[in-house]
Amino acid sequence: GIQVEQSPPDLILQEGANSTLRCNFSDSVNNLQWFHQNPWGQLINLFYIPSGTKQNGRLSATTVATERYSLLYISSSQTTDSGVYFCAVETSFNYGQNFVFGPGTRLSVLP
Amino acid sequence: KAGVTQTPRYLIKTRGQQVTLSCSPISGHRSVSWYQQTPGQGLQFLFEYFSETQRNKGNFPGRFSGRQFSNSRSEMNVSTLELGDSALYLCASSLVPTPTNEKLFFGSGTQLSVL
């Protein structure tokens, strides 16, 4: 089945710093989403981005489908950005696996 | 519009027991999928339901089962609990089933501890 990797696994930042999180996937996808899991376990949908670039406030994401990677940019980070960021992919050729999640990037933003 | 609602929030069970978890999707969403999250295995797909039919099932033993009702609410059941079933169980809803170009929306999860 499709493989999803995320880097870095852990990231520690000072408040106000910028960061880039990466997601690599091993096959073509028809759906890619980024999620933020807060300290209470809730997964918040940040972006649906199978290709192209989107921006939402301090967050933006870019997916280069032909090269099989996606990037999540966080600018001017705040302590509330702390948590784990997951990318999840779905492929039409992966019947039975639904969405496949990467292992996540754990972000800690220090005040 | 209310989000995805999962109950209960926490559960403590002992080995051998069975457990039922509940998920109410966002109003109008007809697809419900379940995921298990553990520190060692990460987020793993359990199953997906649409129109009361199971469409996909992940690689889990038959002790894990689920169903969906006509109002799109879903339940999952784990029988003969094992210590390794301790996990956060997350439910997600979407407008249509996979493969899809729709967003997934998750509930807050049920934290199951098996003693």
Side-chain angles (χ1 to χ4, degrees), chain B residues 13-113:
Chain B
K13 293 286 186 179
T14 56
R15 279 180 299 173
Q17 288 186 310
Q18 76 167 24
V19 67
T20 299
L21 313 181
S22 178
C23 172
S24 293
I26 292 172
S27 177
H29 285 195
R30 295 169 60 199
S31 174
V32 174
S33 50
W34 291 87
Y35 290 81
Q36 181 197 64
Q37 185 177 24
T38 60
Q41 300 298 318
L43 277 149
Q44 294 185 288
F45 168 68
L46 280 158
F47 26 64
E48 179 189 24
Y49 287 88
F50 178 75
S51 293
E52 302 177 63
T53 301
Q54 185 180 91
R55 298 190 73 254
N56 279 333
K57 183 171 167 55
N59 188 25
F60 279 83
R63 300 184 297 105
F64 291 81
S65 63
R67 59 178 175 168
Q68 186 180 35
F69 302 94
S70 58
N71 62 358
S72 295
R73 189 178 72 86
S74 176
E75 290 181 347
M76 67 162 282
N77 184 276
V78 188
S79 62
T80 318
L81 283 166
E82 300 177 0
L83 295 178
D85 297 333
S86 295
L88 180 65
Y89 290 88
L90 291 158
C91 166
S93 81
S94 62
L95 277 170
V96 296
T98 57
T100 175
N101 58 359
E102 298 288 337
K103 278 187 169 184
L104 272 188
F105 295 91
F106 280 85
S108 298
T110 294
Q111 183 67 54
L112 172 64
S113 298

Side-chain angles (χ1 to χ4, degrees), chain A residues 19-21 47 53-54 58-62 71-75:
Chain A
S19 60
T20 301
L21 284 56
F47 293 102
T53 298
K54 289 186 178 180
R58 296 181 297 103
L59 302 181
S60 63
T62 295
L71 302 174
L72 177 68
Y73 305 96
I74 304 175
S75 64

